[in-house]
Amino acid sequence: MAPMPKTMFGVVIPRPGGPDVLEYKTGLPVPSLGEGQILVRNEYVGVNYIDTYFRTGLYKPPSPSSNSNHPSTNGSNDTPSPYPLITGKEAAGTITASSHPSYPVGSRVVYLADNTYAQYTLLTFPLTQATILPASLTPETACAAYLQGLTALTFIREAAGITQQLGISEGPWTLVHAAAGGTGSMLVQILAVMGAKIIATAGGKQKCELAKKLGAGWVVDSSLPQEEVIRQVKEITNNKGVDVIFDGVGKATFGTVDLDVVARKGTIIVFGNASGAVEPVDLFRLMPKNIKIMRPSMPGYITTPEEKETFTSELFDLLVTGKIHANIHQIYPLKNVAQAHIDLESRKTTGKLLLKVE
Ligand SMILES: NC(=O)c1ccc[n+]([C@@H]2O[C@H](COP(=O)([O-])OP(=O)(O)OC[C@H]3O[C@@H](n4cnc5c(N)ncnc54)[C@H](OP(=O)(O)O)[C@@H]3O)[C@@H](O)[C@H]2O)c1
């Protein structure tokens, strides 16, 4: 085995803030390998909306003491502050050091973990969220599809309870907001495979066209006034309303569109804050239509090796058989991560943003 380098490059966030706080740095310490761990040389890093929440401070970053990749834990600085922080939740690359027999050096893996905006990431065990790639999947495709594909699949199967793979028109009425985005485009494609009747909302003509190509039966331009969006969704469902709503937009859509267009006995799955976090809800608002509200997180559905195996194999199978595709918007050099955040937050992107680590 080649000797391990002592330093690496990566992107550090010294304090919460806008995209300008993302600092590309060299000379960062390479985390050292402990019992049952693997060290991955990242090739591609996925950019996810959650990365912006950790950057701005909307979500509290993991504490340095629980995090062996943290830039401050390899030195003597034992500060309780989570900053400086290396963020990022997803990557694919090659194992360069391992003390786990099931994950040999040289294997290509895709994984979910903290601190992926870096040349190397240390994965700690139990490794419920790292998977050795089959030869049929490239690290690029796997990284583009993993976090958002698993999110879509677990939310469809577990949160919405949609299990059927019927012909189109037999499944429930579903509504996917931001349907041309990374997670939205995975939701639309997988719901289409399962025969759901899909109404997609997306901002502008081009995004609506993409959502249709991905498998939505109906599209509504979310840049129209909300009363018009509501009117169109009701008309499409013949005033029945939507059985299951997948909402990663949050604040701008939950209290207005979702509660209005959801069907009697329907389910609203709010899973993100692209427009801001949803305010606390008065439970009496659920009563008129006997509706259910969920606020799931994907990692909460993948906590055991069995869950990881079930959902990862189903996702890989969908990809390898060509039933769904990873739609890559752009691959940015790791150094240009700030531009990736700017593009994502300004609603300019469709599909997945990747960072190349070279
Ligand atoms: N709970 C979980 O486990 C989990 C896992 C993965 C993702 N998520 C959530 O899913 C959502 C989508 O994430 P993603 O990474 O796939 O991003 P994305 O959908 O590719 O990008 C966000 C999209 O949200 C829409 N949007 C609506 N209002 C917005 C606003 N005010 N500012 C910015 N964007 C706005 C835009 O689409 P339009 O222009 O078409 O409106 C934008 O393209 C996020 O809320 C994320 O937190 C949650």
Side-chain angles (χ1 to χ4, degrees):
M1 193 171 69
M4 284 304 304
K6 298 233 174 325
T7 61
M8 64 175 185
F9 55 82
V11 174
V12 173
I13 299 177
R15 61 192 172 281
D20 55 308
V21 299
L22 294 158
E23 275 177 23
Y24 178 85
K25 285 199 156 177
T26 55
L28 297 168
V30 175
S32 44
L33 191 74
E35 194 55 37
Q37 297 180 324
I38 60 175
L39 187 71
V40 180
R41 167 53 167 100
N42 296 321
E43 218 178 307
Y44 291 93
V45 173
V47 178
N48 293 287
Y49 222 94
I50 195 171
D51 304 345
T52 70
Y53 308 149
F54 284 113
R55 193 205 70 220
T56 60
L58 176 69
Y59 285 2
K60 196 174 174 317
S63 76
S65 56
S66 68
N67 182 352
S68 43
N69 284 308
H70 196 279
S72 70
T73 45
N74 283 346
S76 55
N77 180 5
D78 197 17
T79 168
S81 166
Y83 299 94
L85 168 77
I86 294 178
T87 197
K89 287 281 178 191
E90 162 188 56
T94 304
I95 299 174
T96 52
S98 171
S99 59
H100 193 292
S102 306
Y103 293 86
V105 168
S107 309
R108 293 176 321 154
V109 282
V110 63
Y111 67 90
L112 307 173
D114 291 320
N115 317 115
T116 60
Y117 282 15
Q119 190 179 8
Y120 294 93
T121 303
L122 186 70
L123 304 194
T124 51
F125 285 78
L127 266 181
T128 49
Q129 289 168 349
T131 300
I132 294 184
L133 287 176
S136 48
L137 271 184
T138 64
E140 184 182 308
T141 301
C143 189
Y146 201 51
L147 189 149
Q148 293 170 343
L150 287 177
T151 301
L153 196 53
T154 55
F155 288 5
I156 290 168
R157 293 267 188 246
E158 297 269 8
I162 298 174
T163 52
Q164 76 265 45
Q165 303 213 10
L166 307 173
I168 301 289
S169 90
E170 291 184 59
W173 278 106
T174 60
L175 174 67
V176 179
H177 287 301
T183 309
S185 58
M186 282 290 164
L187 278 164
V188 170
Q189 292 185 86
I190 299 172
L191 283 168
V193 172
M194 291 180 196
K197 296 190 282 284
I198 308 158
I199 305 171
T201 74
K205 193 161 172 266
Q206 275 183 329
K207 287 187 180 183
C208 285
E209 276 165 13
L210 175 61
K212 194 120 204 195
K213 266 196 215 137
L214 293 170
W218 299 264
V219 286
V220 177
D221 187 340
S222 55
S223 56
L224 293 170
Q226 277 195 335
E227 315 81 71
E228 180 54 18
V229 172
I230 291 167
R231 193 196 66 72
Q232 290 191 20
V233 173
K234 285 183 176 170
E235 186 177 82
I236 292 164
T237 61
N238 216 1
N239 277 325
K240 176 189 181 293
V242 176
D243 299 308
V244 186
I245 299 176
F246 297 91
D247 187 350
V249 171
K251 191 172 184 170
T253 41
F254 172 77
T256 48
V257 179
D258 297 353
L259 285 170
D260 200 338
V261 303
V262 67
R264 184 178 70 88
K265 300 198 287 179
T267 303
I268 303 174
I269 300 166
V270 188
F271 62 92
N273 328 289
S275 66
V278 169
E279 305 287 342
V281 185
D282 177 358
L283 285 181
F284 282 111
R285 295 189 75 182
L286 316 188
M287 204 168 69
K289 291 193 269 187
N290 283 10
I291 60 172
K292 304 181 198 82
I293 296 182
M294 299 196 66
R295 206 322 183 171
S297 111
M298 179 270 283
Y301 289 127
I302 305 190
T303 60
T304 67
E306 293 74 27
E307 286 168 339
K308 187 203 75 170
E309 173 56 26
T310 301
F311 290 113
T312 302
S313 10
E314 186 173 6
L315 178 67
F316 284 2
D317 186 57
L318 287 165
L319 286 164
V320 168
T321 54
K323 291 190 178 113
I324 67 167
H325 296 96
N327 296 293
I328 298 174
H329 171 76
Q330 192 172 327
I331 302 176
Y332 303 74
L334 181 66
K335 269 185 186 165
N336 295 357
V337 62
Q339 190 58 51
H341 278 222
I342 291 167
D343 292 349
L344 185 64
E345 291 178 292
S346 58
R347 304 169 76 161
K348 279 189 194 148
T349 66
T350 56
K352 184 76 186 183
L353 287 68
L354 288 180
L355 305 171
K356 183 120 174 58
V357 187
E358 52 189 7

